[in-house]
Amino acid sequence: MEMKVEKKYGADISSIKEAQERISSYVHKTPVLCSDSLNAIAGRSLFFKCECFQKGGAFKFRGACNAVLSLDDDEASKGVVTHSSGNHAAALALAAKLRGIPAYIVIPSNAPKCKVENVKRYGGQVIFSDPTMQSRKDTASKVLQETGAALVHSSNDSKIISGQGTISLEFLDQVPQLDTIIVPISGGGLIAGVTLAAKSMNPNIQILAAEPMGANDAAQSKAAGRIITLSETNTVADGLRAFLGDLTWPVLRDLVDDVITVEDKEIIEAIRLCYEILKVTVEPSGAVGLAAVLSDNFRNNPAWQDCKNIGIILSGGNVDLGVVWDSLRK
Amino acid sequence: MEMKVEKKYGADISSIKEAQERISSYVHKTPVLCSDSLNAIAGRSLFFKCECFQKGGAFKFRGACNAVLSLDDDEASKGVVTHSSGNHAAALALAAKLRGIPAYIVIPSNAPKCKVENVKRYGGQVIFSDPTMQSRKDTASKVLQETGAALVHSSNDSKIISGQGTISLEFLDQVPQLDTIIVPISGGGLIAGVTLAAKSMNPNIQILAAEPMGANDAAQSKAAGRIITLSETNTVADGLRAFLGDLTWPVLRDLVDDVITVEDKEIIEAIRLCYEILKVTVEPSGAVGLAAVLSDNFRNNPAWQDCKNIGIILSGGNVDLGVVWDSLRK
């Protein structure tokens, strides 16, 4: 067994650099795109870190790969398990496939067929649960007991946070002049890793979280000074409905500078701009950072007047074109 | 007046390297994307050169920029003129704007509104002609006489060919193991430049042209040994309807290894794969190279069995999402 080292925030610049060492030959170093047209619309210089081009179509592969590769051979031989119907599930299945170990993915029975197919395509073993969170957790526990597989949570996990943090190592190397990074927030694994790495490299950099108004638990949590969970969420950004955990929340509380909330219609307009101007397929959750930069909430806030060189993480691009097109026409 | 140097093919590796020197601080060095999923579908390693991320949304800016920056100050002060309703028009307007000179763009009166808007957005002066090619040429000649502006043809122009050739300099630097490059063909400026540079750097590299069955003048020309023009074309790839010229045809005749023709339905499937797997917005003309690699015409031809590392130029991404979506549903 690896000795557990207590880390104040679940990860730090060392664990993130170790993650980079571990995963760099497996993950894509994703490109940064720029557009003069979008800069003109935003009135700032925007730099888009295109994690939609990451293997599996989202940043999630970084963390999943770090988690799977961190297991010792004994642990690994029993496989990994998670409950998720989204990008983390597919990413974990893909990472497990690369290591040649089983991935048990608990998926609620009402999950979209295409997401189930994604997991199967990467060789994941799908186990259906009832749609409730309790049933998902119970089913995952049962699989854990039966298989001895290692549970890999989608966000509240040190290895996951460290893996996602590798984005900042690349991003600040690609665009050293970044003064701000805007990051979608859901369970908080992405923003925790990005923040811990970026603020260690440049303590003056601003980190802003972006989330939909219909799932604004991060904004509420930051305002209340404690984790708030919502009894229901309502947003087109289906990937941003998870809640903070005990490893990710302290980073939001202490180190993230603010949370910007956007309306769904702003997310949909941002998707359109990504498609038509940047020429990039993003899923609704992936477009929330651009939506934030273009929102009145951001533009009219004097606190952000000095943000000139803004990094935006386009977190993923897994979307059925038909779904996007339908939302654009609404 | 610059002295005209006769070049067998209108451009060569020297003129292409000069172009790179001239334009490199103005153009994007576009990224190369890869996808294990698409490799599995194709049964080869595919490398996508994403010119859809180029300024103006297409490779055309490279040539236009080279042409505009090659003018001496006297010539430049009178501006540039072209007749085109497509990506070249917008690219020339953008290049002229960067140099602060006028761009007169002759556009047929039936051109799509969005393309007219693109030209205007970049500061181009739009002059409408009747839709016939004769009227377009006559109107451009009239503008030439009145303004003394320099005519910049969209493909059959040495500076244009040299500018487009800079793609190969980047591509072979990014992916030295390429053994094949597949290039959309229309007027032939892109493939002429790409071929001249690539074969100079690696004489063994295979260059394949890709074009729609409904506008297969290049395949017919190559088979006949002379330029064939079609009385009408019928394809979803609206950017691939131009014909070869006296500078571009000899490159196709002598140096391009073959022409692969694809059906419109194969182009539309390739668009879908670009959107959903590669996460890139391509216009129909831009997807024809991927369509070719996946076509039975290519897969079943023993001549191409040894093509293992294939570069595909995604030439542009300027498209109205609604148009693409409508074509995908047909």
Side-chain angles (χ1 to χ4, degrees), chain A residues 28 31 33-34 36-37 52-53 55 57 121-122 275-276 278-281 317-318 320-322 325 328-329, chain B residues 28 31 33-34 36-37 52-53 55 57 121-122 275-276 278-281 317-318 320-322 325 328-329:
Chain A
H28 288 313
L33 296 180
C34 300
D36 291 342
S37 300
C52 38
F53 302 149
K55 286 186 186 173
R121 188 152 49 95
Y122 293 135
Y275 273 60
E276 293 196 350
L278 210 57
K279 321 297 183 192
V280 170
T281 305
N318 290 323
D320 176 349
L321 257 188
W325 181 238
L328 288 172
R329 280 188 302 187
Chain B
H28 289 312
L33 295 181
C34 299
D36 291 342
S37 301
C52 39
F53 303 149
K55 286 186 185 174
R121 187 153 48 97
Y122 293 136
Y275 272 60
E276 293 195 350
L278 210 56
K279 320 297 182 190
V280 170
T281 306
N318 291 322
D320 176 350
L321 258 187
W325 181 238
L328 289 173
R329 280 188 303 186

Side-chain angles (χ1 to χ4, degrees), chain B residues 18-260:
Chain B
E18 285 164 23
Q20 188 178 43
E21 186 89 6
R22 202 173 280 126
I23 70 177
S24 62
S25 60
Y26 301 94
V27 305
H28 289 312
K29 181 172 177 178
T30 53
V32 174
L33 295 181
C34 299
S35 159
D36 291 342
S37 301
L38 288 177
N39 291 350
I41 293 171
R44 335 238 181 176
S45 292
L46 307 181
F47 301 87
F48 295 90
K49 180 69 170 162
C50 293
E51 286 297 300
C52 39
F53 303 149
Q54 190 50 264
K55 286 186 185 174
F59 73 93
K60 292 282 190 182
F61 182 64
R62 295 177 185 263
C65 201
N66 189 44
V68 165
L69 294 178
S70 294
L71 299 170
D72 66 33
D73 286 348
D74 265 6
E75 293 169 322
S77 66
K78 293 171 193 155
V80 286
V81 60
T82 198
H83 57 92
S84 159
S85 60
N87 289 329
H88 173 65
L92 190 66
L94 180 55
K97 184 184 177 187
L98 289 177
R99 191 160 177 183
I101 63 174
Y104 307 99
I105 312 291
V106 175
I107 293 185
S109 54
N110 62 347
K113 201 179 160 208
C114 66
K115 300 218 163 175
V116 178
E117 291 308 314
N118 268 350
V119 171
K120 287 185 177 170
R121 187 153 48 97
Y122 293 136
Q125 301 187 30
V126 174
I127 298 129
F128 287 105
S129 73
D130 290 339
T132 65
M133 186 53 75
Q134 195 56 50
S135 170
R136 291 167 62 169
K137 286 185 181 170
D138 290 349
T139 307
S141 295
K142 195 153 162 269
V143 174
L144 266 180
Q145 286 165 6
E146 288 171 2
T147 62
L151 181 68
V152 182
H153 190 275
S154 61
S155 55
N156 201 55
D157 178 296
S158 292
K159 298 296 184 190
I160 293 291
I161 294 169
S162 296
Q164 322 305 27
T166 61
I167 292 172
S168 286
L169 303 184
E170 289 178 18
F171 207 178
L172 288 176
D173 180 53
Q174 291 165 311
V175 193
Q177 71 269 37
L178 286 183
D179 54 46
T180 309
I181 305 178
I182 303 196
V183 192
I185 191 164
S186 182
L190 174 61
I191 200 168
V194 165
T195 302
L196 292 166
K199 294 233 170 183
S200 167
M201 296 166 78
N202 173 6
N204 294 321
I205 203 164
Q206 305 280 341
I207 309 283
L208 302 175
E211 74 179 354
M213 202 68 87
N216 68 343
D217 59 296
Q220 289 193 35
S221 300
K222 182 102 171 139
R226 62 186 171 83
I227 298 178
I228 305 275
T229 57
L230 307 174
S231 57
E232 59 183 64
T233 57
N234 178 22
T235 174
V236 67
D238 59 294
L240 300 181
R241 294 177 304 198
F243 300 128
L244 297 158
D246 64 330
L247 294 177
T248 58
W249 155 242
V251 179
L252 174 63
R253 182 191 60 204
D254 301 345
L255 299 175
V256 172
D257 293 278
D258 207 347
V259 182
I260 301 162

Side-chain angles (χ1 to χ4, degrees), chain A residues 261-280:
Chain A
T261 53
V262 293
E263 303 284 355
D264 272 15
K265 66 170 195 275
E266 294 173 310
I267 295 174
I268 289 165
E269 173 64 9
I271 292 173
R272 194 184 64 77
L273 293 171
C274 285
Y275 273 60
E276 293 196 350
I277 298 186
L278 210 57
K279 321 297 183 192
V280 170

Side-chain angles (χ1 to χ4, degrees), chain A residues 237-278:
Chain A
D238 59 295
L240 300 182
R241 295 177 303 199
F243 300 127
L244 296 158
D246 65 331
L247 293 177
T248 57
W249 156 242
V251 179
L252 173 63
R253 181 191 61 203
D254 301 345
L255 299 175
V256 172
D257 294 278
D258 207 348
V259 182
I260 301 162
T261 53
V262 293
E263 303 284 355
D264 272 15
K265 66 170 195 275
E266 294 173 310
I267 295 174
I268 289 165
E269 173 64 9
I271 292 173
R272 194 184 64 77
L273 293 171
C274 285
Y275 273 60
E276 293 196 350
I277 298 186
L278 210 57

